[in-house]
Amino acid sequence: SYVLTQPPSVSVAPGQTARITCGGNNIGSKSVHWYQQKPGQAPVLVVYDDSDRPSGIPERFSGSNSGNTATLTISRVEAGDEADYYCQVWDSSSDHPENYVFGTGTKVTVL
Amino acid sequence: QVTLKESGPVLVKPTETLTLTCTVSGFSLSNARMGVSWIRQPPGKALEWLAHIFSNDEKSYSTSLKSRLTISKDTSKSQVVLTMTNMDPVDTATYYCARINNYYYYMDVWGKGTTVTVSS
C-alpha cells in the first residue's frame, strides 16, 4: 500500500516559517491535502489539492507538491499554529489501494 | 452550516460488535458531489481511514479491516452507520466521521469524534 512519511516534529520560533514535508513515491502525481489537529480536537482541513485553501484558512498556510515530496508551509508562525499536521492522498494506483492514506503526522512546536 | 455528529457506545467488550452512527446536517447524503468517511485515531497515534460511502451507495473499505467493517446510510434520516465486528483492545480509539469531496477526495468537514474503549 502507499506510504506517506512525515518528520515527527518541527520546531519554529514565532514569526518564522515552518515547513512540513510529506514524502511518498511520485506524490507529485497525486492531489495532496493537509489537516491541522489541535489537542483534543478534530482535524481541520487547511490545504486541499496541493495548494488551495478552504475559506477561513489564513493565507499564511500554503502548499506545494512535486516529485516525491509535498510541503505545507506556515508563514509568520503564531502560537495558535501549534498542532499536529497530517498530509493525505487518495491512492488508486496499486492493486490493493488503501484509498485514503494519511501521513504519519508532524507535531509543530512554537518555541 | 454543515455538521456531523458521531454517536455510539463509549465502552465495548472484546469480541463484541461496535455500531457507530454519524448524523449529518447542512447537506444531503444524496448529493452527488459528496460522501461520508469514517476515520479513527488510537490514543497518541496517527489518523487511519476506515471506510467511505457515496450518494450512489458506492462503498469502499480499508484493506486491512475490510473483513470486519460494514458501512451503510439512511438518506431519509441523514445518517451513516459503521459496524465493526470482533472488537479488540487495539481498536480503542477516537472515531470520526467526515464529509468527503468526491472530486479531490479530501475531508472538508469533520465531526468532533467519539471515543470508544475496548475492555472487558
Side-chain angles (χ1 to χ4, degrees):
Chain A
S1 61
Y2 195 75
V3 176
L4 295 174
T5 302
Q6 299 180 235
S9 62
V10 167
S11 296
V12 58
Q16 299 304 304
T17 298
R19 293 180 179 83
I20 305 160
T21 57
C22 176
N25 184 33
N26 197 26
I27 195 174
S29 67
K30 301 181 183 298
S31 182
V32 179
H33 320 299
W34 291 91
Y35 304 89
Q36 175 194 68
Q37 186 180 32
K38 296 182 179 180
Q41 298 183 20
V44 172
L45 179 71
V46 293
V47 167
Y48 67 93
D49 192 25
D50 296 341
S51 59
D52 289 334
R53 281 185 312 277
S55 60
I57 300 300
E59 292 183 5
R60 301 185 297 104
F61 289 83
S62 62
S64 62
N65 184 20
S66 179
N68 293 317
T69 304
T71 303
L72 174 70
T73 300
I74 311 173
S75 304
R76 303 180 298 283
V77 166
E78 302 174 355
D81 298 331
E82 189 163 282
D84 293 328
Y85 291 83
Y86 294 91
C87 56
Q88 177 251 314
V89 301
W90 163 266
D91 175 41
S92 60
S93 59
S94 63
D95 290 338
H96 298 284
E98 202 60 25
N99 291 342
Y100 302 84
V101 180
F102 287 97
T104 50
T106 298
K107 181 175 180 59
V108 170
T109 300
V110 181
L111 301 172
Chain B
Q1 181 187 7
V2 173
T3 64
L4 300 92
K5 185 174 183 178
E6 306 87 349
S7 58
V10 174
L11 178 67
V12 297
K13 291 181 169 55
T15 75
E16 288 186 341
T17 293
L18 171 68
T19 299
L20 296 172
T21 300
C22 175
T23 302
V24 310
S25 64
F27 72 102
S28 171
L29 295 176
S30 61
N31 188 318
R33 296 182 301 168
M34 299 168 186
V36 172
S37 257
W38 284 94
I39 305 101
R40 72 178 180 179
Q41 185 174 37
K45 295 189 176 182
L47 301 166
E48 178 185 20
W49 173 74
L50 301 176
H52 81 206
I53 189 165
F54 288 140
S55 59
N56 60 359
D57 216 38
E58 173 196 331
K59 303 165 189 174
S60 188
Y61 299 98
S62 164
T63 303
S64 59
L65 294 168
K66 186 174 184 176
S67 63
R68 300 173 53 204
L69 296 173
T70 302
I71 192 170
S72 62
K73 64 180 175 70
D74 185 330
T75 302
S76 65
K77 293 183 178 180
S78 295
Q79 292 182 333
V80 174
V81 175
L82 181 76
T83 62
M84 180 180 293
T85 61
N86 194 25
M87 293 292 285
D88 183 272
V90 300
D91 297 314
T92 293
T94 296
Y95 288 75
Y96 298 98
C97 61
R99 188 176 73 169
I100 314 166
N101 172 284
N102 279 18
Y103 191 70
Y104 291 113
Y105 297 98
Y106 58 80
M107 292 90 171
D108 64 347
V109 184
W110 294 63
K112 294 184 184 300
T114 185
T115 299
V116 178
T117 300
V118 184
S119 175
S120 55

